[in-house]
Short mmCIF file of all heavy atoms in Angstrom, two decimals:
data_model
loop_
_atom_site.label_atom_id
_atom_site.label_comp_id
_atom_site.label_asym_id
_atom_site.label_seq_id
_atom_site.Cartn_x
_atom_site.Cartn_y
_atom_site.Cartn_z
N MET G 12 -35.66 21.32 -15.83
CA MET G 12 -34.48 21.17 -16.65
C MET G 12 -33.38 20.50 -15.82
O MET G 12 -33.07 20.91 -14.72
CB MET G 12 -34.02 22.53 -17.14
CG MET G 12 -32.78 22.47 -18.01
SD MET G 12 -32.39 24.10 -18.68
CE MET G 12 -30.87 24.40 -17.84
N LYS G 13 -32.77 19.45 -16.38
CA LYS G 13 -31.69 18.74 -15.70
C LYS G 13 -30.37 19.38 -16.09
O LYS G 13 -30.07 19.54 -17.25
CB LYS G 13 -31.72 17.28 -16.12
CG LYS G 13 -30.67 16.46 -15.44
CD LYS G 13 -30.76 15.01 -15.88
CE LYS G 13 -29.62 14.23 -15.30
NZ LYS G 13 -29.57 12.88 -15.82
N LEU G 14 -29.58 19.71 -15.09
CA LEU G 14 -28.26 20.29 -15.33
C LEU G 14 -27.24 19.16 -15.46
O LEU G 14 -27.10 18.33 -14.58
CB LEU G 14 -27.86 21.21 -14.17
CG LEU G 14 -26.47 21.84 -14.25
CD1 LEU G 14 -26.36 22.74 -15.48
CD2 LEU G 14 -26.18 22.62 -13.00
N GLU G 15 -26.57 19.10 -16.60
CA GLU G 15 -25.56 18.08 -16.83
C GLU G 15 -24.21 18.57 -16.33
O GLU G 15 -23.85 19.72 -16.51
CB GLU G 15 -25.45 17.77 -18.33
CG GLU G 15 -26.69 17.16 -18.92
CD GLU G 15 -26.92 15.73 -18.48
OE1 GLU G 15 -25.95 15.02 -18.15
OE2 GLU G 15 -28.08 15.32 -18.45
N ARG G 16 -23.46 17.68 -15.71
CA ARG G 16 -22.11 18.00 -15.25
C ARG G 16 -21.14 17.09 -15.99
O ARG G 16 -21.17 15.88 -15.84
CB ARG G 16 -22.01 17.78 -13.76
CG ARG G 16 -22.87 18.75 -12.98
CD ARG G 16 -22.86 18.36 -11.50
NE ARG G 16 -23.73 19.21 -10.75
CZ ARG G 16 -25.01 18.95 -10.51
NH1 ARG G 16 -25.57 17.86 -10.98
NH2 ARG G 16 -25.73 19.78 -9.80
N VAL G 17 -20.29 17.70 -16.79
CA VAL G 17 -19.33 16.96 -17.60
C VAL G 17 -17.96 17.60 -17.40
O VAL G 17 -17.83 18.81 -17.36
CB VAL G 17 -19.71 17.01 -19.10
CG1 VAL G 17 -18.70 16.25 -19.94
CG2 VAL G 17 -21.10 16.45 -19.32
N VAL G 18 -16.93 16.78 -17.26
CA VAL G 18 -15.57 17.27 -17.09
C VAL G 18 -14.67 16.50 -18.07
O VAL G 18 -14.92 15.34 -18.36
CB VAL G 18 -15.09 17.10 -15.64
CG1 VAL G 18 -15.03 15.66 -15.23
CG2 VAL G 18 -13.75 17.78 -15.40
N SER G 19 -13.65 17.17 -18.58
CA SER G 19 -12.72 16.50 -19.50
C SER G 19 -11.40 16.24 -18.79
O SER G 19 -11.01 16.95 -17.87
CB SER G 19 -12.49 17.34 -20.75
OG SER G 19 -11.80 18.53 -20.42
N ILE G 20 -10.73 15.18 -19.22
CA ILE G 20 -9.43 14.82 -18.67
C ILE G 20 -8.60 14.22 -19.79
O ILE G 20 -9.14 13.55 -20.68
CB ILE G 20 -9.60 13.85 -17.49
CG1 ILE G 20 -8.30 13.62 -16.77
CG2 ILE G 20 -10.23 12.55 -17.92
CD1 ILE G 20 -8.45 12.92 -15.43
N ASP G 21 -7.28 14.47 -19.78
CA ASP G 21 -6.42 13.98 -20.86
C ASP G 21 -6.37 12.46 -20.94
O ASP G 21 -6.43 11.89 -22.02
CB ASP G 21 -4.99 14.50 -20.68
CG ASP G 21 -4.90 16.00 -20.90
OD1 ASP G 21 -5.79 16.55 -21.57
OD2 ASP G 21 -3.95 16.61 -20.39
N VAL G 22 -6.22 11.80 -19.81
CA VAL G 22 -6.10 10.34 -19.77
C VAL G 22 -7.13 9.80 -18.79
O VAL G 22 -7.10 10.14 -17.62
CB VAL G 22 -4.69 9.91 -19.33
CG1 VAL G 22 -4.58 8.40 -19.24
CG2 VAL G 22 -3.64 10.47 -20.26
N ALA G 23 -8.03 8.95 -19.27
CA ALA G 23 -9.12 8.46 -18.43
C ALA G 23 -8.85 7.05 -17.89
O ALA G 23 -9.77 6.26 -17.73
CB ALA G 23 -10.44 8.51 -19.20
N ILE G 24 -7.60 6.75 -17.59
CA ILE G 24 -7.25 5.47 -16.98
C ILE G 24 -7.43 5.63 -15.47
O ILE G 24 -7.00 6.64 -14.91
CB ILE G 24 -5.79 5.09 -17.30
CG1 ILE G 24 -5.59 4.97 -18.81
CG2 ILE G 24 -5.38 3.81 -16.59
CD1 ILE G 24 -4.14 4.89 -19.22
N ILE G 25 -8.04 4.64 -14.81
CA ILE G 25 -8.26 4.80 -13.37
C ILE G 25 -6.94 4.98 -12.63
O ILE G 25 -5.90 4.47 -13.04
CB ILE G 25 -9.10 3.66 -12.77
CG1 ILE G 25 -8.43 2.30 -12.90
CG2 ILE G 25 -10.49 3.65 -13.34
CD1 ILE G 25 -9.16 1.19 -12.17
N MET G 26 -7.00 5.75 -11.56
CA MET G 26 -5.81 6.20 -10.85
C MET G 26 -4.89 5.06 -10.42
O MET G 26 -3.68 5.13 -10.60
CB MET G 26 -6.20 7.04 -9.64
CG MET G 26 -5.03 7.65 -8.91
SD MET G 26 -3.98 8.73 -9.92
CE MET G 26 -5.04 10.11 -10.16
N LYS G 27 -5.44 3.97 -9.87
CA LYS G 27 -4.56 2.91 -9.38
C LYS G 27 -3.73 2.29 -10.50
O LYS G 27 -2.64 1.80 -10.25
CB LYS G 27 -5.35 1.83 -8.64
CG LYS G 27 -6.20 0.97 -9.52
CD LYS G 27 -6.87 -0.13 -8.73
CE LYS G 27 -7.60 -1.05 -9.68
NZ LYS G 27 -8.11 -2.22 -9.01
N ASP G 28 -4.23 2.34 -11.74
CA ASP G 28 -3.48 1.80 -12.88
C ASP G 28 -2.42 2.76 -13.39
O ASP G 28 -1.61 2.40 -14.23
CB ASP G 28 -4.43 1.41 -14.01
CG ASP G 28 -5.32 0.24 -13.64
OD1 ASP G 28 -4.97 -0.50 -12.70
OD2 ASP G 28 -6.37 0.07 -14.28
N ARG G 29 -2.42 3.98 -12.89
CA ARG G 29 -1.44 4.99 -13.29
C ARG G 29 -0.28 5.09 -12.30
O ARG G 29 0.68 5.81 -12.53
CB ARG G 29 -2.12 6.35 -13.41
CG ARG G 29 -3.16 6.37 -14.52
CD ARG G 29 -4.02 7.59 -14.49
NE ARG G 29 -3.27 8.80 -14.67
CZ ARG G 29 -3.77 10.01 -14.58
NH1 ARG G 29 -5.05 10.18 -14.33
NH2 ARG G 29 -3.03 11.07 -14.76
N ILE G 30 -0.37 4.36 -11.20
CA ILE G 30 0.65 4.46 -10.15
C ILE G 30 1.62 3.29 -10.27
O ILE G 30 1.20 2.12 -10.24
CB ILE G 30 -0.02 4.48 -8.76
CG1 ILE G 30 -0.87 5.75 -8.65
CG2 ILE G 30 1.02 4.39 -7.65
CD1 ILE G 30 -1.67 5.86 -7.41
N PRO G 31 2.91 3.57 -10.40
CA PRO G 31 3.90 2.50 -10.55
C PRO G 31 3.89 1.54 -9.36
O PRO G 31 3.87 1.95 -8.21
CB PRO G 31 5.24 3.24 -10.61
CG PRO G 31 4.89 4.64 -10.98
CD PRO G 31 3.51 4.88 -10.43
N LEU G 32 3.86 0.26 -9.67
CA LEU G 32 3.96 -0.81 -8.69
C LEU G 32 2.87 -0.77 -7.62
O LEU G 32 3.09 -1.16 -6.48
CB LEU G 32 5.35 -0.83 -8.05
CG LEU G 32 6.51 -0.95 -9.04
CD1 LEU G 32 7.84 -0.87 -8.32
CD2 LEU G 32 6.42 -2.23 -9.85
N TYR G 33 1.66 -0.32 -7.99
CA TYR G 33 0.51 -0.38 -7.09
C TYR G 33 0.18 -1.85 -6.85
O TYR G 33 0.21 -2.66 -7.76
CB TYR G 33 -0.68 0.33 -7.72
CG TYR G 33 -1.98 0.10 -6.98
CD1 TYR G 33 -2.31 0.88 -5.89
CD2 TYR G 33 -2.86 -0.90 -7.37
CE1 TYR G 33 -3.50 0.68 -5.20
CE2 TYR G 33 -4.05 -1.11 -6.69
CZ TYR G 33 -4.36 -0.33 -5.60
OH TYR G 33 -5.54 -0.54 -4.92
N SER G 34 -0.16 -2.20 -5.62
CA SER G 34 -0.45 -3.60 -5.31
C SER G 34 -1.60 -3.73 -4.34
O SER G 34 -1.53 -3.23 -3.21
CB SER G 34 0.78 -4.28 -4.72
OG SER G 34 0.47 -5.59 -4.30
N GLU G 35 -2.68 -4.38 -4.79
CA GLU G 35 -3.78 -4.68 -3.87
C GLU G 35 -3.35 -5.74 -2.87
O GLU G 35 -3.86 -5.79 -1.76
CB GLU G 35 -5.01 -5.10 -4.66
CG GLU G 35 -5.61 -3.94 -5.43
CD GLU G 35 -6.94 -4.26 -6.06
OE1 GLU G 35 -7.60 -5.22 -5.64
OE2 GLU G 35 -7.31 -3.52 -6.99
N ALA G 36 -2.40 -6.60 -3.25
CA ALA G 36 -1.89 -7.63 -2.35
C ALA G 36 -1.18 -7.00 -1.13
O ALA G 36 -1.10 -7.61 -0.07
CB ALA G 36 -0.94 -8.55 -3.08
N LEU G 37 -0.68 -5.77 -1.31
CA LEU G 37 -0.03 -5.06 -0.21
C LEU G 37 -0.99 -4.10 0.48
O LEU G 37 -0.56 -3.13 1.11
CB LEU G 37 1.20 -4.29 -0.72
CG LEU G 37 2.32 -5.15 -1.28
CD1 LEU G 37 3.41 -4.26 -1.88
CD2 LEU G 37 2.90 -6.05 -0.19
N GLY G 38 -2.27 -4.33 0.34
CA GLY G 38 -3.27 -3.48 1.00
C GLY G 38 -3.53 -2.18 0.26
O GLY G 38 -3.84 -1.18 0.89
N GLY G 39 -3.39 -2.19 -1.06
CA GLY G 39 -3.64 -0.99 -1.85
C GLY G 39 -2.56 0.07 -1.68
O GLY G 39 -2.84 1.26 -1.59
N ARG G 40 -1.33 -0.38 -1.64
CA ARG G 40 -0.20 0.54 -1.44
C ARG G 40 0.67 0.61 -2.69
O ARG G 40 0.66 -0.28 -3.52
CB ARG G 40 0.63 0.09 -0.25
CG ARG G 40 -0.16 0.14 1.04
CD ARG G 40 0.65 -0.34 2.22
NE ARG G 40 -0.16 -0.38 3.41
CZ ARG G 40 -0.35 0.66 4.22
NH1 ARG G 40 0.21 1.81 3.97
NH2 ARG G 40 -1.11 0.53 5.29
N ASP G 41 1.44 1.70 -2.80
CA ASP G 41 2.37 1.83 -3.91
C ASP G 41 3.72 1.24 -3.52
O ASP G 41 3.86 0.65 -2.44
CB ASP G 41 2.49 3.29 -4.36
CG ASP G 41 3.16 4.20 -3.33
OD1 ASP G 41 3.64 3.71 -2.30
OD2 ASP G 41 3.18 5.41 -3.57
N TRP G 42 4.71 1.41 -4.38
CA TRP G 42 6.03 0.81 -4.19
C TRP G 42 6.73 1.24 -2.90
O TRP G 42 7.56 0.53 -2.37
CB TRP G 42 6.93 1.12 -5.38
CG TRP G 42 7.22 2.58 -5.53
CD1 TRP G 42 6.44 3.49 -6.20
CD2 TRP G 42 8.30 3.30 -4.99
NE1 TRP G 42 6.99 4.74 -6.10
CE2 TRP G 42 8.14 4.65 -5.36
CE3 TRP G 42 9.39 2.96 -4.22
CZ2 TRP G 42 9.04 5.64 -4.98
CZ3 TRP G 42 10.29 3.95 -3.85
CH2 TRP G 42 10.10 5.28 -4.24
N SER G 43 6.37 2.44 -2.39
CA SER G 43 7.04 2.91 -1.17
C SER G 43 6.19 2.75 0.08
O SER G 43 6.55 3.25 1.13
CB SER G 43 7.47 4.37 -1.35
OG SER G 43 6.32 5.19 -1.49
N GLY G 44 5.06 2.05 -0.05
CA GLY G 44 4.22 1.79 1.12
C GLY G 44 3.12 2.80 1.38
O GLY G 44 2.42 2.70 2.37
N ASN G 45 2.97 3.80 0.49
CA ASN G 45 1.91 4.79 0.66
C ASN G 45 0.56 4.20 0.27
O ASN G 45 0.44 3.53 -0.75
CB ASN G 45 2.18 6.03 -0.20
CG ASN G 45 3.43 6.74 0.23
OD1 ASN G 45 3.60 7.06 1.39
ND2 ASN G 45 4.32 6.97 -0.71
N VAL G 46 -0.47 4.47 1.05
CA VAL G 46 -1.81 4.00 0.73
C VAL G 46 -2.35 4.79 -0.45
O VAL G 46 -2.23 6.02 -0.50
CB VAL G 46 -2.76 4.16 1.95
CG1 VAL G 46 -4.19 3.81 1.57
CG2 VAL G 46 -2.30 3.29 3.10
N VAL G 47 -2.94 4.08 -1.42
CA VAL G 47 -3.53 4.71 -2.59
C VAL G 47 -5.04 4.57 -2.49
O VAL G 47 -5.56 3.46 -2.47
CB VAL G 47 -3.03 4.05 -3.90
CG1 VAL G 47 -3.72 4.66 -5.11
CG2 VAL G 47 -1.52 4.17 -4.02
N GLU G 48 -5.75 5.68 -2.35
CA GLU G 48 -7.21 5.63 -2.32
C GLU G 48 -7.69 5.27 -3.71
O GLU G 48 -7.32 5.90 -4.69
CB GLU G 48 -7.79 6.97 -1.89
CG GLU G 48 -7.48 7.30 -0.45
CD GLU G 48 -8.10 8.63 -0.05
OE1 GLU G 48 -7.98 9.60 -0.81
OE2 GLU G 48 -8.70 8.68 1.03
N ASN G 49 -8.54 4.26 -3.81
CA ASN G 49 -9.03 3.80 -5.11
C ASN G 49 -10.53 4.00 -5.19
O ASN G 49 -11.30 3.30 -4.54
CB ASN G 49 -8.67 2.33 -5.32
CG ASN G 49 -9.23 1.81 -6.62
OD1 ASN G 49 -9.41 2.56 -7.56
ND2 ASN G 49 -9.51 0.54 -6.66
N PHE G 50 -10.95 4.96 -6.01
CA PHE G 50 -12.37 5.22 -6.24
C PHE G 50 -12.78 4.74 -7.64
O PHE G 50 -13.87 5.05 -8.09
CB PHE G 50 -12.68 6.71 -6.09
CG PHE G 50 -12.34 7.25 -4.73
CD1 PHE G 50 -11.29 8.14 -4.56
CD2 PHE G 50 -13.05 6.85 -3.61
CE1 PHE G 50 -10.98 8.63 -3.30
CE2 PHE G 50 -12.74 7.33 -2.35
CZ PHE G 50 -11.70 8.23 -2.20
N ASN G 51 -11.89 3.99 -8.32
CA ASN G 51 -12.13 3.54 -9.69
C ASN G 51 -12.44 4.69 -10.63
O ASN G 51 -13.28 4.59 -11.52
CB ASN G 51 -13.21 2.47 -9.75
CG ASN G 51 -12.73 1.14 -9.23
OD1 ASN G 51 -11.59 0.77 -9.46
ND2 ASN G 51 -13.57 0.44 -8.51
N LEU G 52 -11.75 5.80 -10.41
CA LEU G 52 -11.89 6.99 -11.25
C LEU G 52 -10.50 7.38 -11.75
O LEU G 52 -9.49 7.03 -11.15
CB LEU G 52 -12.49 8.16 -10.45
CG LEU G 52 -13.92 7.98 -9.99
CD1 LEU G 52 -14.30 9.09 -9.02
CD2 LEU G 52 -14.87 7.95 -11.16
N PRO G 53 -10.43 8.13 -12.85
CA PRO G 53 -9.14 8.54 -13.39
C PRO G 53 -8.43 9.61 -12.57
O PRO G 53 -7.26 9.90 -12.81
CB PRO G 53 -9.45 9.03 -14.79
CG PRO G 53 -10.88 9.40 -14.75
CD PRO G 53 -11.52 8.51 -13.74
N ILE G 54 -9.10 10.16 -11.62
CA ILE G 54 -8.48 11.17 -10.76
C ILE G 54 -9.17 11.09 -9.41
O ILE G 54 -10.38 10.88 -9.33
CB ILE G 54 -8.56 12.58 -11.37
CG1 ILE G 54 -7.69 13.55 -10.61
CG2 ILE G 54 -9.98 13.06 -11.51
CD1 ILE G 54 -7.40 14.85 -11.35
N ASN G 55 -8.43 11.16 -8.34
CA ASN G 55 -9.01 11.03 -7.01
C ASN G 55 -9.36 12.41 -6.46
O ASN G 55 -8.57 13.04 -5.77
CB ASN G 55 -8.04 10.31 -6.06
CG ASN G 55 -7.95 8.83 -6.35
OD1 ASN G 55 -8.76 8.30 -7.10
ND2 ASN G 55 -6.99 8.17 -5.76
N LEU G 56 -10.53 12.86 -6.80
CA LEU G 56 -11.06 14.11 -6.27
C LEU G 56 -12.39 13.82 -5.59
O LEU G 56 -13.13 12.94 -6.02
CB LEU G 56 -11.29 15.12 -7.40
CG LEU G 56 -10.07 15.56 -8.18
CD1 LEU G 56 -10.48 16.46 -9.33
CD2 LEU G 56 -9.09 16.28 -7.28
N MET G 57 -12.70 14.55 -4.55
CA MET G 57 -13.97 14.34 -3.86
C MET G 57 -14.91 15.48 -4.20
O MET G 57 -14.63 16.64 -3.93
CB MET G 57 -13.74 14.25 -2.36
CG MET G 57 -12.93 13.07 -1.97
SD MET G 57 -12.71 13.02 -0.19
CE MET G 57 -11.55 11.68 -0.06
N PHE G 58 -16.02 15.13 -4.84
CA PHE G 58 -17.03 16.10 -5.20
C PHE G 58 -18.34 15.74 -4.52
O PHE G 58 -18.61 14.56 -4.29
CB PHE G 58 -17.26 16.11 -6.72
CG PHE G 58 -16.11 16.67 -7.50
CD1 PHE G 58 -15.15 15.84 -8.05
CD2 PHE G 58 -15.97 18.04 -7.66
CE1 PHE G 58 -14.08 16.35 -8.76
CE2 PHE G 58 -14.90 18.56 -8.36
CZ PHE G 58 -13.96 17.72 -8.92
N GLY G 59 -19.15 16.72 -4.23
CA GLY G 59 -20.44 16.48 -3.59
C GLY G 59 -21.55 16.25 -4.60
O GLY G 59 -22.72 16.36 -4.24
N THR G 60 -21.21 15.91 -5.82
CA THR G 60 -22.21 15.71 -6.85
C THR G 60 -21.69 14.71 -7.87
O THR G 60 -20.50 14.45 -7.96
CB THR G 60 -22.58 17.04 -7.54
OG1 THR G 60 -23.65 16.82 -8.43
CG2 THR G 60 -21.40 17.62 -8.29
N TYR G 61 -22.60 14.15 -8.65
CA TYR G 61 -22.24 13.21 -9.70
C TYR G 61 -21.85 13.98 -10.96
O TYR G 61 -22.42 15.01 -11.26
CB TYR G 61 -23.44 12.31 -10.02
CG TYR G 61 -23.23 11.46 -11.24
CD1 TYR G 61 -22.50 10.28 -11.16
CD2 TYR G 61 -23.72 11.84 -12.47
CE1 TYR G 61 -22.27 9.51 -12.28
CE2 TYR G 61 -23.51 11.06 -13.60
CZ TYR G 61 -22.79 9.90 -13.50
OH TYR G 61 -22.57 9.15 -14.60
N PHE G 62 -20.86 13.47 -11.70
CA PHE G 62 -20.52 14.06 -12.98
C PHE G 62 -19.95 12.98 -13.90
O PHE G 62 -19.53 11.92 -13.45
CB PHE G 62 -19.53 15.23 -12.84
CG PHE G 62 -18.22 14.85 -12.21
CD1 PHE G 62 -17.15 14.45 -12.98
CD2 PHE G 62 -18.06 14.91 -10.84
CE1 PHE G 62 -15.95 14.11 -12.41
CE2 PHE G 62 -16.85 14.56 -10.26
CZ PHE G 62 -15.80 14.17 -11.04
N THR G 63 -19.95 13.26 -15.19
CA THR G 63 -19.44 12.35 -16.18
C THR G 63 -18.03 12.78 -16.58
O THR G 63 -17.81 13.96 -16.84
CB THR G 63 -20.35 12.35 -17.43
OG1 THR G 63 -21.66 11.97 -17.02
CG2 THR G 63 -19.84 11.37 -18.47
N ILE G 64 -17.10 11.85 -16.63
CA ILE G 64 -15.72 12.15 -17.03
C ILE G 64 -15.55 11.73 -18.49
O ILE G 64 -15.84 10.60 -18.86
CB ILE G 64 -14.71 11.41 -16.15
CG1 ILE G 64 -14.85 11.87 -14.70
CG2 ILE G 64 -13.29 11.63 -16.67
CD1 ILE G 64 -14.03 11.09 -13.72
N ILE G 65 -15.08 12.65 -19.31
CA ILE G 65 -14.85 12.42 -20.73
C ILE G 65 -13.36 12.51 -20.99
O ILE G 65 -12.72 13.48 -20.59
CB ILE G 65 -15.59 13.48 -21.59
CG1 ILE G 65 -17.09 13.48 -21.30
CG2 ILE G 65 -15.29 13.28 -23.07
CD1 ILE G 65 -17.80 12.21 -21.67
N GLN G 66 -12.79 11.51 -21.66
CA GLN G 66 -11.38 11.60 -22.05
C GLN G 66 -11.31 12.49 -23.27
O GLN G 66 -11.97 12.25 -24.27
CB GLN G 66 -10.81 10.22 -22.38
CG GLN G 66 -9.35 10.29 -22.78
CD GLN G 66 -8.72 8.92 -22.88
OE1 GLN G 66 -8.87 8.10 -21.99
NE2 GLN G 66 -8.02 8.68 -23.96
N GLY G 67 -10.52 13.55 -23.19
CA GLY G 67 -10.37 14.48 -24.30
C GLY G 67 -10.28 15.91 -23.82
O GLY G 67 -9.86 16.19 -22.71
N THR G 68 -10.72 16.82 -24.67
CA THR G 68 -10.64 18.26 -24.39
C THR G 68 -11.97 18.78 -23.87
O THR G 68 -12.97 18.06 -23.85
CB THR G 68 -10.28 19.02 -25.67
OG1 THR G 68 -11.38 18.88 -26.58
CG2 THR G 68 -9.01 18.50 -26.30
N ALA G 69 -11.99 20.05 -23.49
CA ALA G 69 -13.24 20.68 -23.07
C ALA G 69 -14.26 20.67 -24.20
O ALA G 69 -15.46 20.49 -23.97
CB ALA G 69 -12.97 22.10 -22.61
N VAL G 70 -13.80 20.81 -25.42
CA VAL G 70 -14.70 20.77 -26.59
C VAL G 70 -15.35 19.37 -26.68
O VAL G 70 -16.54 19.25 -26.94
CB VAL G 70 -13.93 21.11 -27.89
CG1 VAL G 70 -14.80 20.88 -29.10
CG2 VAL G 70 -13.43 22.55 -27.83
N ASP G 71 -14.57 18.32 -26.43
CA ASP G 71 -15.12 16.97 -26.44
C ASP G 71 -16.18 16.80 -25.35
O ASP G 71 -17.21 16.17 -25.56
CB ASP G 71 -14.01 15.93 -26.22
CG ASP G 71 -12.97 15.93 -27.32
OD1 ASP G 71 -13.34 16.16 -28.50
OD2 ASP G 71 -11.79 15.70 -27.01
N ALA G 72 -15.92 17.38 -24.17
CA ALA G 72 -16.88 17.29 -23.07
C ALA G 72 -18.18 18.01 -23.42
O ALA G 72 -19.27 17.51 -23.15
CB ALA G 72 -16.26 17.86 -21.80
N ILE G 73 -18.07 19.19 -24.01
CA ILE G 73 -19.27 19.96 -24.39
C ILE G 73 -20.07 19.20 -25.42
O ILE G 73 -21.30 19.19 -25.39
CB ILE G 73 -18.87 21.37 -24.89
CG1 ILE G 73 -18.32 22.18 -23.70
CG2 ILE G 73 -20.05 22.06 -25.55
CD1 ILE G 73 -17.66 23.48 -24.11
N ALA G 74 -19.38 18.53 -26.34
CA ALA G 74 -20.08 17.75 -27.39
C ALA G 74 -20.91 16.62 -26.79
O ALA G 74 -21.88 16.18 -27.39
CB ALA G 74 -19.06 17.19 -28.37
N GLU G 75 -20.56 16.16 -25.58
CA GLU G 75 -21.30 15.09 -24.93
C GLU G 75 -22.60 15.56 -24.27
O GLU G 75 -23.42 14.76 -23.88
CB GLU G 75 -20.43 14.41 -23.88
CG GLU G 75 -19.30 13.61 -24.47
CD GLU G 75 -19.79 12.39 -25.24
OE1 GLU G 75 -20.73 11.72 -24.77
OE2 GLU G 75 -19.21 12.11 -26.30
N LEU G 76 -22.77 16.86 -24.12
CA LEU G 76 -23.97 17.39 -23.45
C LEU G 76 -25.23 17.12 -24.24
O LEU G 76 -25.37 17.03 -25.35
CB LEU G 76 -23.83 18.88 -23.19
CG LEU G 76 -22.81 19.23 -22.12
CD1 LEU G 76 -22.67 20.74 -22.02
CD2 LEU G 76 -23.21 18.67 -20.78
#
């Protein structure tokens, strides 16, 4: 049996697009010079396993199983 891992999130826009004045031309930094780690995910969390991100509620995530 394969165990599915699904998580829900309110807004599934990748993190770098949610940060004001993010610039790859400045080496992936924000407006104040802070480095922004870009994993092309809507939230920058480090997990030791693969999972699917669903935009919506927990009920929406369960429906995807």
Side-chain angles (χ1 to χ4, degrees):
M12 180 174 113
K13 182 179 174 187
L14 178 62
E15 295 289 333
R16 293 173 183 92
V17 179
V18 63
S19 67
I20 188 167
D21 292 338
V22 178
I24 300 168
I25 62 173
M26 185 58 70
K27 71 176 186 172
D28 292 340
R29 295 169 61 185
I30 296 175
L32 304 176
Y33 169 85
S34 174
E35 290 188 20
L37 296 174
R40 297 178 184 274
D41 68 6
W42 64 274
S43 65
N45 296 308
V46 174
V47 176
E48 292 181 314
N49 177 28
F50 301 111
N51 286 322
L52 294 171
I54 191 164
N55 287 348
L56 298 175
M57 295 181 188
F58 291 96
T60 186
Y61 171 81
F62 60 91
T63 302
I64 298 173
I65 303 296
Q66 181 171 312
T68 66
V70 172
D71 297 325
I73 292 169
E75 291 293 319
L76 290 176

